[in-house]
């Protein structure tokens, strides 16, 4: 999913984009953990609270999150919900808005 790649980049994960590398197309966290991003081991932000909640927490800690709330984006932040699909969509929308601001 394209949006999962957007989230991985927001978290600072680096894409292994060298086709000669063993895990080409996979993501590596700054701490070295590798997410293979294959059919067997996909990025799971859209289906796992364990994957998605650290993203929500990072968003809530950002200064830009607070600024966006002040600019009327609070409905987006409030969309973080108990429904994973709603929360995932809000996270994706927030990151897209953040990228426009930068």
């Amino acid at each position: 999913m394209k949006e999962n790649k957007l989230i991985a980049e927001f978290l600072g994960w680096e894409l292994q984009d060298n086709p000669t590398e063993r895990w080409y197309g996979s993501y590596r966290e700054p701490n070295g953990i590798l997410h293979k991003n294959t059919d067997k081991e996909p990025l799971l932000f859209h289906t796992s609270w364990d994957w998605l909640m650290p993203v929500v927490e990072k968003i809530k800690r950002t200064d830009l999150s607070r600024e966006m709330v002040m600019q009327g984006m609070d409905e987006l932040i409030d969309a973080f919900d108990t429904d994973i699909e709603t929360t995932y969509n809000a996270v994706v929308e927030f990151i897209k808005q953040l990228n426009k601001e930068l």
Side-chain angles (χ1 to χ4, degrees):
M1 292 190 85
K2 181 180 179 182
E3 289 81 6
N4 282 339
K5 294 177 181 182
L6 183 75
I7 294 171
E9 291 167 4
F10 171 73
L11 291 174
W13 296 7
E14 292 187 25
L15 177 65
Q16 302 249 114
D17 57 359
N18 182 341
T20 63
E21 292 288 324
R22 179 174 182 192
W23 296 114
Y24 172 69
S26 299
Y27 284 88
R28 185 172 303 278
E29 290 186 41
N31 62 8
I33 294 174
L34 180 70
H35 299 280
K36 295 178 184 167
N37 197 23
T38 64
D39 289 338
K40 285 187 174 185
E41 296 183 51
L43 301 176
L44 299 174
F45 297 109
H46 62 295
T47 60
S48 170
W49 284 112
D50 290 337
W51 282 62
L52 191 57
M53 286 312 296
V55 184
V56 171
E57 291 304 317
K58 180 175 180 174
I59 287 171
K60 288 183 174 183
R61 287 191 312 267
T62 65
D63 290 335
L64 287 170
S65 175
R66 288 187 266 293
E67 287 177 31
M68 287 178 149
V69 168
M70 297 301 285
Q71 295 172 4
M73 295 286 299
D74 53 328
E75 71 279 354
L76 193 59
I77 304 301
D78 289 342
F80 297 143
D81 196 311
T82 57
D83 174 63
I84 194 163
E85 186 175 347
T86 302
T87 305
Y88 176 80
N89 290 334
V91 163
V92 169
E93 211 36 58
F94 177 87
I95 295 171
K96 286 179 180 179
Q97 288 294 325
L98 180 66
N99 288 344
K100 284 181 186 177
E101 296 287 323
L102 299 177

